[in-house]
Amino acid sequence: MFIDNAKIYLKAGDGGNGAVTFRREKYVAAGGPDGGDGGKGGNIAFLADDNLSTLADFRYKRKYVAQNGENGGAKRCFGKSGEDLVIRVPRGTLIKDAGSGRILADISGEKAQIILRGGRGGWGNTHFATPTRQVPRFAKPGTPGEEMDVQLELKLLATVGLVGYPNVGKSTLVSVVSEAK
């Protein structure tokens, strides 16, 4: 079965939250803030694959979500960034916004094209320490990743062309070989 268009839902990863932690040691009463930053959310990218010829895979799986970034930790440990989600499509696929119909990308090159960006990680409480506020009990949350419904369209290219003078039987040949009437 040849499928040349599909509608799918995409969501980039959310950024991780910053941590609210304080330094604790045996002989240090008030060690101060040491919360780490949250990790960045994963992007969604599309890559051209010459081994694919239809969009049949997108008929059954319609939801693609990238990995979220991890939260920050104690001792100024940064959260791990989410992995990027790379979706393989046939070469010559158009990616359109399903709501407006605007073309976002034409996947025909060798490099992967990022369609949606992941959210940024939040700041830990170490960023908010000042001489007057030495014990901040808050941190910044991560930002959400972008999300949208997209329409995938496969540009069809002819592989055979018939050339000749008029009245030499091109139409007859096509009607005999195919189901065209």
Side-chain angles (χ1 to χ4, degrees):
M1 179 182 299
F2 186 77
I3 299 186
D4 62 347
N5 58 14
K7 183 178 179 181
I8 59 174
Y9 170 77
L10 302 174
K11 177 160 184 354
D14 297 335
N17 297 329
V20 179
T21 60
F22 299 95
R23 193 172 125 224
R24 301 286 182 224
E25 290 184 36
K26 187 172 183 180
Y27 297 108
V28 179
D34 72 344
D37 298 345
K40 179 181 148 329
N43 299 327
I44 293 186
F46 283 84
L47 180 66
D49 189 356
D50 291 328
N51 296 327
L52 297 174
S53 59
T54 68
L55 297 174
D57 297 338
F58 301 102
R59 176 172 237 179
Y60 304 109
K61 184 176 180 191
R62 296 177 183 249
K63 184 176 180 181
Y64 292 87
V65 179
Q67 191 176 22
N68 293 336
E70 291 183 1
N71 295 337
K75 299 181 183 176
R76 297 186 183 184
C77 290
F78 285 57
K80 183 179 177 184
S81 295
E83 289 188 26
D84 293 345
L85 177 63
V86 178
I87 301 172
R88 297 183 178 277
V89 293
R91 190 173 300 276
T93 302
L94 289 176
I95 300 172
K96 296 181 178 181
D97 184 6
S100 66
R102 181 175 58 99
I103 295 176
L104 301 173
D106 182 6
I107 309 299
S108 50
E110 296 296 325
K111 292 174 54 177
Q113 292 187 11
I114 296 175
I115 302 300
L116 297 179
R117 300 244 177 233
R120 293 193 335 242
W123 282 358
N125 63 345
T126 56
H127 290 280
F128 301 106
T130 62
T132 56
R133 182 178 52 212
Q134 295 179 0
V135 186
R137 298 188 186 278
F138 60 91
K140 192 173 182 183
T143 59
E146 299 174 347
E147 59 183 306
M148 71 170 39
D149 289 321
V150 296
Q151 182 78 27
L152 303 178
E153 256 183 48
L154 187 60
K155 294 189 291 187
L156 300 177
L157 301 175
T159 56
V160 176
L162 296 175
V163 179
Y165 288 109
N167 302 329
V168 294
K170 295 186 296 287
S171 302
T172 307
L173 176 67
V174 169
S175 66
V176 170
V177 172
S178 69
E179 296 291 324
K181 302 290 180 198

